[in-house]
């Protein structure tokens, strides 16, 4: 049996009472924090498919599968898809707010400065068999790419995390495009920094060196 009072919920079982703090959900629902249930009381809960369990606190996303609702930082995904570019949404997710015009221009310039891969990475792509799945190549190449930037590995260094985030955002389209080109036996297409983020990705994926995409 549950009894609710302000700020806490009491569970009664076998004439024993267990008190848990309450939390407020994104939609102002009252939640019960049972994270200490097993550690403190040697009991567990059963929630098939985690249908009524939040795995974490998040200021980034809100998902409601029943209503088909997805929000990033409070913005509806439909609005972002219609009105914002990919780099704008990435900036929002990372920084918590949409960029101003000047901030977006600076961010896009940072991304353009890191689109190229180290040429030695091509040997890694070439080592995969022709029939390798692009996702397998992508995941392996992403892990391999970290070996070129070991000075940015410290997760407690804010500057290193920021630099790694920018490099990943800039280079992953190139990695993904190289993986796809490898899988279909076509030449790799290098990034073009005169194009916007999405257009550049498309030309690396579907362009050919013999003609303008």
């Amino acid at each position: 049996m549950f009894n609710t009072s302000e700020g806490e919920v009491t569970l009664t079982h076998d004439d024993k009472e267990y008190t848990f703090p309450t939390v407020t959900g994104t939609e102002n629902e009252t939640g019960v924090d049972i994270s200490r249930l097993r550690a403190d009381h040697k009991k567990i809960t059963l929630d098939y498919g985690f249908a009524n369990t939040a795995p974490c606190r998040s200021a980034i996303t809100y998902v409601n599968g029943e209503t088909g609702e997805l929000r990033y930082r409070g913005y509806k995904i439909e609005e972002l898809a219609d009105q914002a570019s990919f780099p704008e949404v990435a900036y929002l997710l990372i920084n918590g707010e949409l960029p101003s015009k000047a901030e977006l221009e600076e961010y896009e310039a940072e991304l353009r400065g890191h689109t190229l891969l180290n040429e030695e990475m091509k040997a890694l792509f070439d080592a995969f068999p022709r029939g390798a799945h692009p996702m397998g190549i992508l995941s392996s190449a992403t892990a391999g790419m970290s070996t070129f930037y070991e000075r940015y590995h410290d997760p407690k260094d804010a500057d290193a995390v920021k630099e790694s985030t920018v490099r990943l955002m800039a280079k992953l389209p190139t990695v993904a495009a190289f993986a796809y080109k490898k899988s279909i036996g076509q030449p790799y297409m290098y990034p073009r920094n005169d194009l916007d983020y999405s257009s550049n990705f498309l030309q690396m994926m579907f362009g050919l060196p013999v003609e303008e995409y």
Side-chain angles (χ1 to χ4, degrees), residues 83-128:
Q83 302 175 30
S85 66
F86 190 92
E88 281 181 286
V89 177
Y91 187 100
L92 169 68
L93 290 171
I94 295 166
N95 297 288
E97 57 186 20
L98 286 168
S100 65
K101 182 179 179 181
E103 288 170 334
L104 179 60
E105 289 176 352
E106 180 182 357
Y107 184 55
E108 289 179 326
E110 282 186 296
L111 295 178
R112 285 193 296 271
H114 295 289
T115 54
L116 283 171
L117 302 180
N118 189 296
E119 279 293 292
E120 294 180 6
M121 284 284 293
K122 290 174 69 175
L124 176 62
F125 288 98
D126 290 338
F128 288 103

Side-chain angles (χ1 to χ4, degrees), residues 181 186-187 189 202-209 211-213:
K181 288 295 193 181
Q186 288 187 358
M189 293 291 290
L202 290 174
Q203 75 86 20
M204 287 192 292
M205 287 284 289
F206 306 115
L208 292 170
E211 59 190 22
E212 189 75 16
Y213 175 71

Side-chain angles (χ1 to χ4, degrees), residues 111-119 121-122 125 134 137-138 141-142 145 167-182 187-193 197 200-205:
L111 295 178
R112 285 193 296 271
H114 295 289
T115 54
L116 283 171
L117 302 180
N118 189 296
E119 279 293 292
M121 284 284 293
K122 290 174 69 175
F125 288 98
I137 301 175
L138 175 64
T142 302
M145 189 167 58
R167 288 177 184 272
L168 278 171
M169 276 287 300
K171 296 180 186 299
L172 276 178
T174 310
V175 173
F178 275 31
Y180 175 68
K181 288 295 193 181
K182 170 65 180 182
Y188 305 128
M189 293 291 290
Y190 283 83
R192 282 180 47 188
N193 289 345
Y197 190 90
N200 182 45
F201 177 56
L202 290 174
Q203 75 86 20
M204 287 192 292
M205 287 284 289

Side-chain angles (χ1 to χ4, degrees), residues 37-114:
L37 178 62
R38 182 171 187 173
D40 294 346
H41 308 296
K42 310 303 181 188
K43 297 183 183 298
I44 61 173
T45 60
L46 175 63
D47 180 14
Y48 290 108
F50 295 103
N52 194 44
T53 299
C56 66
R57 294 174 182 262
S58 175
I60 299 174
T61 58
Y62 170 75
V63 181
N64 188 328
E66 294 178 350
T67 61
E69 187 175 3
L70 171 62
R71 295 202 296 264
Y72 286 165
R73 300 286 191 182
Y75 292 91
K76 292 182 178 180
I77 192 65
E78 297 89 348
E79 296 175 355
L80 292 173
D82 184 53
Q83 302 175 30
S85 66
F86 190 92
E88 281 181 286
V89 177
Y91 187 100
L92 169 68
L93 290 171
I94 295 166
N95 297 288
E97 57 186 20
L98 286 168
S100 65
K101 182 179 179 181
E103 288 170 334
L104 179 60
E105 289 176 352
E106 180 182 357
Y107 184 55
E108 289 179 326
E110 282 186 296
L111 295 178
R112 285 193 296 271
H114 295 289

